[in-house]
């Protein structure tokens, strides 16, 4: 069994981005909108901000109050869309409950959409075209597989979870890489019968559901889930201790998909900058 070390690879990718940024006379600039007081969101935004600083990428965090209106949030996005100093826009999710997330995401200019969540960029993915940016977590997972020389083409990839930010775009990206893809979700019957046929098994549910009996011998197992257990420790969807001896490759939690997501965000910011300054 080999560990898919997202922490090490994430660092490597960050170094590559840093070297590219050093060569630029003008620096890429990421704007992050943080609405409300969600503690986890604050931590994520802080990490993104610090990583930008370390790589020489400018970053601006726009803090909006919990009671911000949808109109005000959309106006802020529109302002950033036409600001020549801003190359990438990220709206930290989840937004406060009274705000329609997809309506706000729709407002982001596709060429500044660093998460690849706008209808234009997701539509490009669906139709097999190249979006301005690929969603960061799926993109990080594909990079993690490719840089570890794991073949995707022709393999049966089973994705558990069908969210707009992970499961759905990831399935489309695996399809683009010529995997045969099966998507599973909470209404899937006989989940373990399906997962046992996976060459590549990716779980993105936030529920601790993947046990040894669900994994084929020598399968590649990617764990996207982030769960805080009763002892306050972070763990994933997969019972790592059980599954590690069955899998050929497995991601740890933490230190697997998480750092790859941040690395993809940095890479996307640089790439959007380069596309805008061709
Ligand atoms: P989400 O929007 O809550 O979606 C969860 C998905 O899992 C849904 O499609 C749901 O099915 C499915 N699901 C839930 N319970 C299931 C079960 N028992 N069997 C089969 N499918 C089940 O979550 P998300 O935003 O995609 O995130 C998923 C997890 O990944 C979370 O733990 C999140 O914290 C983590 N995450 C990590 C990163 C990272 O960088 N490491 C990035 C993003 C998310 P239905 O559609 O039928 O409800």
């Amino acid at each position: 069994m080999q560990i898919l070390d997202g922490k090490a690879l994430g660092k490597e990718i960050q170094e590559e981005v840093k070297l590219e940024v050093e060569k630029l006379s003008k620096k890429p600039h990421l704007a992050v909108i943080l609405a409300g007081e969600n503690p986890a969101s604050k931590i994520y935004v802080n990490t993104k901000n610090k990583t930008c600083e370390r790589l020489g990428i400018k970053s601006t965090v726009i803090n909006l109050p919990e009671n911000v209106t949808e109109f005000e949030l959309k106006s802020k996005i529109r302002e950033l869309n036409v600001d020549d100093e801003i190359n990438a826009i990220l709206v930290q999710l989840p937004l406060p409950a009274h705000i329609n997330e997809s309506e706000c995401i729709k407002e982001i200019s596709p060429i500044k959409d660093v998460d690849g969540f706008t209808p234009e960029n997701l539509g490009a993915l669906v139709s097999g075209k190249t979006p301005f940016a690929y969603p960061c977590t799926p993109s990080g997972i594909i990079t993690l597989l490719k840089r570890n020389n794991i073949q995707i083409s022709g393999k049966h990839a089973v994705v558990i979870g069908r969210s707009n930010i992970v499961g759905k775009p990831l399935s489309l990206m695996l399809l683009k890489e010529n995997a045969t893809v099966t998507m599973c979700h909470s209404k899937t019957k006989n989940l373990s019968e399906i997962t046992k046929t996976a060459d590549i098994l990716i779980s993105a549910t936030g529920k601790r559901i993947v046990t040894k009996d669900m994994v084929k011998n020598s399968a590649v197992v990617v764990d996207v889930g982030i769960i805080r257990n009763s002892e306050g420790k972070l763990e994933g969807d997969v019972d790592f201790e059980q599954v590690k001896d069955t899998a050929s490759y497995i991601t740890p939690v933490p230190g697997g998909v998480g750092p790859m997501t941040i690395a993809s965000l940095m890479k996307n910011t640089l790439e959007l900058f380069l596309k805008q300054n061709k």
Side-chain angles (χ1 to χ4, degrees), residues 44 137 160-167 184-188 191 203-207 209 223-227 237 256-262:
Y44 291 143
T137 301
I160 319 176
R162 55 174 165 179
S163 71
N164 289 336
I165 64 169
V166 188
C184 302
H185 46 78
S186 68
K187 307 289 185 293
T188 299
L191 181 64
S203 187
T205 71
K207 303 271 157 52
I209 56 168
D223 191 350
V224 187
I226 303 175
I227 304 164
D237 291 0
V257 175
M260 291 305 296
T261 300
I262 294 269

Side-chain angles (χ1 to χ4, degrees), residues 50-66:
K50 280 195 176 146
T51 311
C52 281
E53 262 175 38
R54 208 170 51 242
L55 307 195
I57 293 174
K58 285 194 210 162
S59 78
T60 301
V61 179
I62 296 132
N63 287 290
L64 299 174
E66 183 78 32

